[in-house]
Every structure is written in C-alpha cells, then in structure tokens.
Amino acid sequence: MRFQVLGPVIVRDETGASVSLRGPRYRAVLARLIVARRRVVPVTRLADDLWDEPPADAVGAIRTFVAGLRRALEPDRPPRTPARLLVTEGPGYALRAEPDAVDAWRFDDTVRAAADLPAAQAVCVLTEALSWWHGPAYADFADEAWARAERSRLTEQRLLAVERRAEAQLSIGAAGAAVPDLDAHVAEHPWREDAWRLLATALYGSGRQADALAVVGRARRMLAEHMGIDPGPRLRRLEQDLLLQSEHLDPGAADPTAQVWEQARAAYDSAVPARTGRRLESAAGLMRDLAVTGGGGLAAARRHRIAAVAAADELGDPALTARVIGIYDVPAIWTRSDDPAQDRRLVDIAEKTLRRLPDHGDADRARLLATIAVESRGMLPAEHPSESGLRPLRAARQAEQIARRLRDPSLLVFALNGVFMQSFQRAGLAPRRDALGAEVLTVAASNNLATYEVLGHLIRLQARCALADYRGADRHAAAADALALRHELPLVTVFTAWYRALRTAVAKDLAAAEAAYERAATTLDGAGMPGLEHGLLPLARLSLYLRHHEAERIATMDPHTDWGPYTPWVRPVLFVARGEIDRARMALRHLGSPPRDLLFETLWAVVAHAAVAVDDAAVMRRAHTQLSPAIDETTAQSGLLGVGPVRAYLADLESALSRHPAQRSRSRRPGRGQRPADDHT
C-alpha cells in the first residue's frame, strides 16, 4: 500500500488504484497515525483528537474504525491472524508502513539526501519530490489541531525544496528553468528574502539584468511598506553585485551541456502542447535513457514508465499505447523481476493493446510481443505448464519472426532479448544462449546499438561461464566494461564485478573469493535492482562453501539470514549442515522446482546435495532428471556464482541412487537431445 498525504489523504494499492476508506472518521484515524510516523498513538489520545467532546463509546468506535481500516489495508490477511500494517501495541495503535510507503516521509528523506548530491542530480531528485505534492499537506484536515504542526513543518520543507532546487539549477547554468517557479514562489511567499535573492540571480543568469534589479527593488519596497524593515545583508550585497556584474552570479554560464539542455527543454515546452500523446512518447523515451543510469534513475524510470503507459492506455488509442510501451526497449540481462506487480500490470496492458491493434502495425506488434517476453521474465512454468505460463515463450518467437521479416536491427535485438528471457525451458541450453548472444553482439555492433552490444557481451559471458570457458568470459567482461565506460553505463559494472568474484571462486581461493563477493555486493547498494540484490550475497557465500566442501562453515551461517527468494531450496542444505536430518527431509518432501532462470542449475545442484545427504530417492531422481541435460556444463550459468560442475552432482546422485536397486533404471541419463521427463515446454 502507498499512502499520499501531500494533498488529500489517499491510499493506493500495488496497481495504483485508490483504496476505499469509508467515512471521514476512518480517514482521520489513518491520517493521525501517519502523523505519528510509526509511533504508537494511545486510544485516549485518538479519542481526544477525533472529537471535541468524545462520546461515551469512543473507544468502541475507534476499534470499529481500526477494524475497517485493517480490512482495507490488508484485504488478503487470513482471519484471526495478527495485523502487520496497522498494529495494536500497548495502549494504542501504530501504522508500521515502510519509510518509502508514505509520500511525506519519502519527501523528508529525499530533501535531506539531496543536500549531499551533485547539483545536476539534486535538480532531478527535488523536481520529482516536488511532483508528489497535490495540494496542501493533509488537505482534508486543515482545521484539525493534531495536524497543524505537521502541516506547517511539511509546508516549510516544500518551500525549502523549491529554493534548494533553484540553487542547484543556478549552479549548473540552468537559470532560465528556475525563473518561472521562483516567480510563483515569491508571489505566494513574499516574506522569504532568499526567494527574492534567488529570483533576481536567476533573472540575471538568463540575461535579464534590468529585471533582476527591478526584483530587488520590489523586495525592498515590500519589506519597507509591510514590515518596516530594510532588506537583509545578502539581498543588499546581491544588489551591489548585480550593478557590478560580478562573475560569481552565473557560475554555470560556461557549462555548454547545461545550456543546451535548458534551451532544448524550453523549446520543447513551447512547441509541444501539454496533454498530448507526443508528450507521453517523449516521456517514455526519456525513461529509457534514465533507466541505464542506475540507482535512483532506474527506480524512477520504472515508476514513470508505467505511469506513462497507464496514461496512454486511458486515452484509448492502441497505436499510441503500443508506441509508448515499445519505446522503452532497455536491454535486460537478469531473469528475476525487480517489481513483479508492476511487470504484471505492464504485461496485461501490452496484451490488451495487442488485441486492439490493427493488423497492419507489424513493428508495433513486434515491440509489444518483445515487451511481453522481456517483462514476463521468470514466469516460465516450473514443472506444470499452463497457458499463461507459455504465452511469453510464444510471444518471444513471434516477435523474432516479425523482426527478421522487417529486417529492422533495433527491433531484432529487442526481440532477441525477449527470446533470451524465455530461453530457460530446461537445463543445458548454454550453447543456444551463447549463439543468441553472438547474434545480438553482431547486429548491435554493426548498427551502433551500444546498450545491446553490452547485452550481447553479458549473455556470452554467462554462457561461457556455463561452458567453463573462463578465458572467453574474461574477454567479454573486459569488452562490456570498456563499452560501459565509453557510453556512461554504470550498471554494467554490477555484473562484471560479480563475475570477477566468481572468477576468484573458480581459482579455489576461498578467503579471496569471500572478500571479492563482499566487494561485489557493494555495487548493488543503490543500484535500483532488488530482483538481483535480494538474497544474492548469502547465496554466493553458500556456493563458495559447497564448492570448497566447507560443511562446517555452512553450519555456522547465521540462522536469521534473509535468503530472499532462494529460501525454499537453500533450507534443506542448512538443516543438513547442522545435523538436523529430519528437518531436512521434511523440507525436501514438498519442495517445488526452482524457477527456470539463470540460477536453475545452481539451485537444483544445492537441492541434489541435500537429497544425497538424507538419502531421499524421490528428490534425487527429480534432481537427476532436471540436471542431466546440463552434464557438460557448470552451475555458473548466471555469471555471478556457481557450485561447481554439473557432472559432479550427477555422479553423486547416481552413486546414491545405486543403493536403491528398484529405481536404477529411472536414474539413467536422457540421451543427447532428449528432454527431461517433466519438461513440458
């Protein structure tokens, strides 16, 4: 749930839809708990805040409000289970929302963080933060005493953010962009001398010296007439500097990049009307460029991209929606989604648009199909196929066919990216992905498609790791790093840093590999890739200990470690290492298949290790069936970590299964090219 209080109080679910909060008292309770910022508000205090004279049944009424809010905020919570969001604690209630779930809390954190950012980045961050305001804070409760102090504080924070953004704009030479907002700012808040000073400086930086001096004069008259005071020393100094044309007044004037950006922005704003499809297409294009900057840029790009797609969908023009979706052809290398709910929503809109699109729009159709394939990453059926699970695979193939027919290089590499994301139907497909990466690399290099040239190198890096060709992988890592440096693509180093940690692990230096993985993990800090980050470092440590047969180290791993999405397949090995054999057997008994993605072989090998240790023949047979097609590969197909050659785990499984004579025939390897028994795709 996302909570908006910078304007009317609104709650939105993961799809962005508004959540019904029933009557005003319900909203007031929620708003009061948000004001408390995760602290407990006693029931007696709530009663005093909600009513001038609390009724006799105030406590019962508040319980009713809280119960209704809980149903709205946690609609899927099973009956009689404790609430996780709106909790009862001691004498009252608290809203335990995450820090980024409430726009006001997020705004505070963003304004604070912007003070330490480079000016150009601060402008972007503060501009986005100011866009979260949709009216006065807690607009529904302007007359409530309990909201007054918080509303005043947030208002002051917003004014500070406007002025800090203007200062950052001035420092990069974007004075013209600062003028309109500052003009409105001083009109609304004429007592803020810093606002007058910044407006005069921005006007001067825009080549309007006379206007700048006139603004200082207006400020002087306003202060004298209404407050009976003279301007402060900073405003008086500025007036002198304007008359002397001091150089320090326009520090960014020599920055051609800032000047070009500002001129282009102004020209676009004047030439392209607001509320047009062209603006949505431009926004999607900007988000495509923003995504490859990493960190906050990637997270913001994902958020604004889905907003642009949703806005296009609301306009009801399928051709426009198709273009807005298809423009965002950002290469994808990792097979686990960063935001599954958002990706499902995007895929739903793309599929709906595809059904409505005229038959003659082949290029748009191919981009929609490729988008469905890319954004459905990790959705291949684990063991039991379904129609919905196979649709992305067919979409990838159809996109590729159309792209080849149209002979469009940029469309082809986008479609091949979708094919790559759906190329995990079974283990042992590294050679196929290597050929796919080679084609992406050739097409991209021949057509100056730098981001896809990097993608080709990273796909081949992964494939060469799976095939134990680490020298080949070294060459692709070096080439990807060189391209990343030349084209300012910082996220590439995340993958190459983790690859080099894997390389250290392969060299059998355990201590050095542990240190390398610790360093690699720092590249994920702020990278904006939760689908990659969550649980990866502990899994890398476990892979090292399995590779080096360090069972004692596995036994000493912190039992409270967050293994993220890998928990079900890791848990049996941890139990085995601690000697908890019965718990390991229980964990294996109902274990499903890991997702068909870059860690498929690794996780099956981990499961195989545990199954052999507890002599679970059924799981050993499943593991053998799944791993057999990759007998000539390693488990390092992710290019980030691995637990050794697949052949070694198959040998252990066969040796253990030989003690189960009735099952020997069922453990034989499939022949070359034969699919495993439960591969339905």
Side-chain angles (χ1 to χ4, degrees), residues 43 46-48 50-51 53-65:
V43 173
L46 278 172
D48 289 339
L50 260 61
W51 291 280
E53 295 184 11
D57 64 341
V59 172
I62 289 171
R63 286 176 180 158
T64 300
F65 301 150

Side-chain angles (χ1 to χ4, degrees), residues 120-159:
Q121 195 173 349
V123 171
C124 296
V125 166
L126 290 171
T127 298
E128 182 185 357
L130 288 165
S131 73
W132 302 336
W133 285 76
H134 302 286
Y138 296 92
D140 322 56
F141 306 102
D143 299 326
E144 301 294 341
W146 53 265
R148 197 168 298 136
E150 179 67 357
R151 293 181 76 245
S152 297
R153 188 190 67 77
L154 285 168
T155 299
E156 178 60 29
Q157 279 284 80
R158 184 179 69 81
L159 300 180

Side-chain angles (χ1 to χ4, degrees), residues 43 118 170-171 258 307 352 426 440 456 509 523 529 560 595 634 672:
V43 173
L170 291 172
S171 71
K352 179 176 72 174
R426 61 176 174 84
V440 170
D509 186 339
T523 65
M529 295 189 289
H560 302 295
T634 76
R672 295 284 177 173

Side-chain angles (χ1 to χ4, degrees), residues 355-550:
R355 292 191 294 270
R356 297 176 175 177
L357 200 65
D359 290 338
H360 59 267
D362 274 356
D364 287 341
R365 186 173 296 278
R367 288 190 174 275
L368 286 172
L369 289 164
T371 298
I372 291 167
V374 170
E375 301 302 343
S376 298
R377 65 188 84 185
M379 294 185 190
L380 275 169
E383 291 185 87
H384 304 293
S386 65
E387 177 62 23
S388 61
L390 295 177
R391 279 205 306 268
L393 180 62
R394 288 198 289 269
R397 291 170 176 164
Q398 291 169 13
E400 180 187 5
Q401 291 168 1
I402 295 173
R404 291 192 187 283
R405 188 175 73 247
L406 295 178
R407 298 184 179 181
D408 181 333
S410 63
L411 183 56
L412 178 59
V413 290
F414 186 25
L416 291 177
N417 197 174
V419 173
F420 166 75
M421 281 294 169
Q422 301 299 322
S423 66
F424 298 88
Q425 301 97 311
R426 61 176 174 84
L429 293 177
R432 187 181 300 177
R433 284 193 290 277
D434 193 38
L436 188 66
E439 182 175 10
V440 170
L441 190 53
T442 300
V443 174
S446 302
N447 293 277
N448 297 316
L449 302 169
T451 55
Y452 278 95
E453 192 175 351
V454 170
L455 177 68
H457 282 300
L458 292 180
I459 292 174
R460 296 210 67 192
L461 180 154
Q462 294 169 342
R464 300 324 295 175
C465 285
L467 300 171
D469 175 16
Y470 293 105
R471 288 188 179 180
D474 287 343
R475 290 193 294 273
H476 289 295
D481 278 337
L483 284 165
L485 183 63
R486 189 185 318 154
H487 297 284
E488 300 179 7
L489 304 171
L491 290 179
V492 175
T493 57
V494 171
F495 295 96
T496 55
W498 277 83
Y499 163 69
R500 293 190 173 93
L502 168 65
R503 196 74 168 90
T504 308
V506 171
K508 303 189 185 304
D509 186 339
L510 180 58
E514 284 185 302
Y517 274 124
E518 291 288 346
R519 289 193 300 273
T522 64
T523 65
L524 286 166
D525 294 340
M529 295 189 289
L532 176 62
E533 178 181 11
H534 199 191
L536 190 62
L537 182 57
L539 185 65
R541 291 195 189 104
L542 178 65
S543 73
L544 281 177
Y545 302 153
L546 284 172
R547 181 186 286 273
H548 292 273
H549 308 289
E550 294 280 352

Side-chain angles (χ1 to χ4, degrees), residues 153-206:
R153 188 190 67 77
L154 285 168
T155 299
E156 178 60 29
Q157 279 284 80
R158 184 179 69 81
L159 300 180
L160 179 64
V162 170
E163 290 166 8
R164 283 188 178 172
R165 179 180 63 173
E167 287 177 345
Q169 288 171 313
L170 291 172
S171 71
I172 62 172
V179 170
D181 288 334
L182 284 171
D183 211 0
H185 185 55
V186 297
E188 286 185 51
H189 309 282
W191 319 119
R192 297 179 73 88
E193 282 195 47
D194 263 356
W196 289 102
R197 179 182 59 81
L198 288 165
L199 175 58
T201 306
L203 288 166
Y204 180 86
S206 306

Side-chain angles (χ1 to χ4, degrees), residues 228-261:
I229 59 174
D230 291 327
R234 297 182 76 185
L235 202 53
R236 291 200 305 272
R237 254 194 325 269
L238 174 62
E239 188 172 29
Q240 286 297 110
D241 290 341
L242 290 171
L243 290 168
L244 295 172
Q245 299 183 353
S246 298
E247 291 184 8
H248 73 82
L249 291 177
D250 194 10
D255 182 352
T257 303
Q259 289 180 348
V260 169
W261 177 266

Side-chain angles (χ1 to χ4, degrees), residues 222-377:
M222 186 275 302
L223 291 169
E225 291 172 8
H226 295 280
M227 302 186 71
I229 59 174
D230 291 327
R234 297 182 76 185
L235 202 53
R236 291 200 305 272
R237 254 194 325 269
L238 174 62
E239 188 172 29
Q240 286 297 110
D241 290 341
L242 290 171
L243 290 168
L244 295 172
Q245 299 183 353
S246 298
E247 291 184 8
H248 73 82
L249 291 177
D250 194 10
D255 182 352
T257 303
Q259 289 180 348
V260 169
W261 177 266
E262 168 56 22
Q263 290 164 3
R265 184 203 62 77
Y268 186 92
D269 280 347
S270 62
V272 181
R275 298 185 177 88
T276 61
R278 179 69 61 81
R279 289 233 172 189
L280 290 175
E281 291 183 61
S282 299
L286 281 173
M287 293 311 104
R288 174 189 58 201
D289 296 338
L290 182 61
V292 298
T293 65
L298 177 57
R302 283 197 298 265
R303 186 165 60 253
H304 293 306
R305 178 209 186 183
I306 191 65
V309 169
D313 183 47
E314 287 178 10
L315 292 176
D317 181 347
L320 171 64
T321 307
R323 291 196 300 273
V324 171
I325 292 174
I327 286 170
Y328 192 93
D329 54 354
V330 178
I333 187 67
W334 193 243
T335 47
R336 184 175 292 276
S337 171
D338 290 318
D339 191 335
Q342 181 174 291
D343 288 349
R344 282 194 296 272
R345 186 181 181 204
L346 181 62
V347 168
D348 288 345
I349 294 175
E351 289 183 333
K352 179 176 72 174
T353 304
L354 196 59
R355 292 191 294 270
R356 297 176 175 177
L357 200 65
D359 290 338
H360 59 267
D362 274 356
D364 287 341
R365 186 173 296 278
R367 288 190 174 275
L368 286 172
L369 289 164
T371 298
I372 291 167
V374 170
E375 301 302 343
S376 298
R377 65 188 84 185

